Every structure is written in structure tokens, then in C-alpha cells.
Amino acid sequence: MTQGIHQLTASMVNQLNRVDVISNNLANANTVGFKEDNLAEGSFNRYLKNQIEKDEVVLKESLVMDTIPKIDMKYKDESVGVTKQTGNNLDFAIKDRNMFFKVQNPQGDIEYTRDGSFKVLDGRLVTQNGYEVLTAGNEPIDINNPAFPTTIALVNSDFKNLDNIGNNNYKAIEEQEINDVADNATFLLQGSIETSNVNTIKTMVGLIEAQRKFEQSQKAITGIDEINSKVIDSIGNGR
């Protein structure tokens, strides 16, 4: 009985995590260049087997008993969102799924983003958060230069090498794996933006499903608790 409660409780925790991720996806359904997050659910038993492959010490009893559900991994949907024409010459969309704009935050650190809805600040091209958009040489872009679109730096990187740090921006895990794109003309669309790749209908269905699974596990725990109470009462009364 107790082990069943453990599994159901773990399942409830997993569904709460799913609700958090799905809710964040929905909140960013209209965020330019946003990439949907997803969770893969496995079991703690699978985690232990992975530890064995890494030469970690794991008890055989644990492999038999530990079937508790566990969030196995978090990953991004890397698909390119729909390109939407805006007619604004400060808007840019990237065609390639593994390319990013290079920007500089107020602390001077370089970050990467797919959000090409830029604006002008003090004659320079910046993001909606005020981060300077950079050239390949890490210089700010002068908006008064008629050829400024050709100076916008694009870099190529696998999503696995990027850490999501908020504000729709990423930080490189290994900077040496970031590669500059020599010619941005092939991959940039001026006057357009890349919309979020979140499918709102599918995401809403996933949210309802996660909430229902949470409620089912909650009811099952309540049922087990009631059965345990009856058994204890029967033993206590000598029946």
C-alpha cells in the first residue's frame, strides 16, 4: 500500500511540473521566436540503470523496487515558428532553426536570441529589452547606415549548447561551439518576424490532461488511505 502511495505522489509531482511548463508555454504563445518546452516522463528505475552505465554503484534491490515515475528530461521543440510579415524594416526573421542573433546585455555579456523584433535606441539597433544587437565583430549596429541589415550578426549553434536564461535569450554553454555565419542575406527576412512555435490548442489539451492525471492520483491516494484506516480499525477492534 505504502509503495503505491509513493508512486502516486511522485506522479502528482510530475503533473505539477508539467502544468508549470505548459502554463509557461501558453504565456509565451505570442512571444516572438519563443520555443516550446516539453518534459519526458520515465521512471526512477530507468534513472538507476543510467547510473549503472556510468559505473555508479546501484543495489539490485533498487532496480526491482524503484518503479516510481520521474521526470526524465526537459527539452525544447526546435521547429521554426510561422513567419509573419509586419512591414517594419526593423523586424527580422531567421529561416534556419539553428541560427540566432547575437546581442549584448547591460553587463556586457553576449547572449543569443531568435527574437528579431528590434527597435532603435540612441541611433543603435536594440532588442525590445534594450540589449544592443551586435555585428560579427561584436560592435553595436548604427541604424543610420543604409546597409545596416547586412551587418547584423548571425551565429550557428545546436540548442543543446544553449542555456535558457530568461527574457527569450540564451547563454552559450561552450562558447567555442558557437560559429559565425559569413553571409546573413541567405537566412534573414527583413520586415518579418518568427512567431512562437507553441500550438495553443494542443497545449491547452495537454494542460487539461495533466490536471486530470493529478486529480486521478489524488483520488487514488485518498482511496488507499481510507482502506488503510479500515484495516487498522479492524485490527484494533480484534475483528
Side-chain angles (χ1 to χ4, degrees):
M1 287 292 188
T2 303
Q3 187 178 3
I5 291 178
H6 289 167
Q7 291 171 331
L8 290 166
T9 302
S11 177
M12 290 172 66
V13 172
N14 286 355
Q15 299 315 314
L16 285 175
N17 287 329
R18 283 188 65 200
V19 168
D20 286 343
V21 170
I22 294 172
S23 298
N24 183 63
N25 288 338
L26 282 174
N28 286 282
N30 294 318
T31 300
V32 178
F34 179 80
K35 300 301 178 186
E36 180 181 61
D37 288 313
N38 291 286
L39 296 176
E41 189 173 356
S43 69
F44 195 69
N45 186 282
R46 179 178 174 180
Y47 169 77
L48 292 174
K49 289 181 179 178
N50 289 338
Q51 294 305 104
I52 289 177
E53 294 175 359
K54 297 177 182 178
D55 295 327
E56 297 287 342
V57 177
V58 176
L59 296 177
K60 291 183 178 180
E61 293 82 355
S62 296
L63 288 173
V64 176
M65 299 297 292
D66 288 326
T67 56
I68 293 174
K70 177 182 180 294
I71 295 298
D72 206 28
M73 64 180 294
K74 183 176 181 180
Y75 63 96
K76 280 193 176 293
D77 178 354
E78 301 174 11
S79 62
V80 177
V82 175
T83 300
K84 178 182 177 182
Q85 289 187 339
T86 64
N88 185 345
N89 287 332
L90 298 180
D91 288 339
F92 294 87
I94 305 175
K95 300 178 185 178
D96 191 283
R97 63 188 290 175
N98 289 323
M99 289 186 183
F100 302 83
F101 298 106
K102 182 161 53 170
V103 301
Q104 188 173 48
N105 67 22
Q107 289 72 43
D109 300 321
I110 292 178
E111 299 178 5
Y112 305 95
T113 184
R114 300 254 330 164
D115 185 350
S117 58
F118 302 138
K119 63 181 181 179
V120 178
L121 181 65
D122 297 330
R124 294 178 174 180
L125 192 66
V126 299
T127 68
Q128 293 299 317
N129 294 322
Y131 293 8
E132 289 188 338
V133 182
L134 300 178
T135 66
N138 296 336
E139 296 294 330
I141 294 173
D142 183 3
I143 198 66
N144 296 313
N145 178 3
F148 81 88
T150 64
T151 66
I152 297 174
L154 287 182
V155 299
N156 189 297
S157 175
D158 193 297
F159 265 96
K160 294 178 182 177
N161 185 45
L162 298 173
D163 185 23
N164 192 340
I165 56 176
N167 292 323
N168 211 16
N169 287 3
Y170 303 88
K171 189 82 172 177
I173 297 173
E174 296 293 340
E175 197 67 45
Q176 61 268 28
E177 294 184 16
I178 301 291
N179 300 307
D180 290 320
V181 177
D183 181 13
N184 70 9
T186 307
F187 306 102
L188 270 188
L189 284 175
Q190 188 175 12
S192 301
I193 56 172
E194 177 195 356
T195 62
S196 165
N197 67 355
V198 175
N199 183 321
T200 52
I201 296 176
K202 178 182 175 182
T203 305
M204 281 296 298
V205 171
L207 180 61
I208 294 170
E209 178 186 308
Q211 291 172 333
R212 284 179 176 172
K213 285 185 177 181
F214 178 87
E215 292 170 357
Q216 289 170 354
S217 296
Q218 192 176 40
K219 288 179 181 179
I221 290 176
T222 301
I224 291 174
D225 187 54
E226 290 175 352
I227 292 172
N228 286 341
S229 296
K230 291 179 181 179
V231 171
I232 293 171
D233 289 342
S234 296
I235 295 173
N237 294 329
R239 297 176 184 175

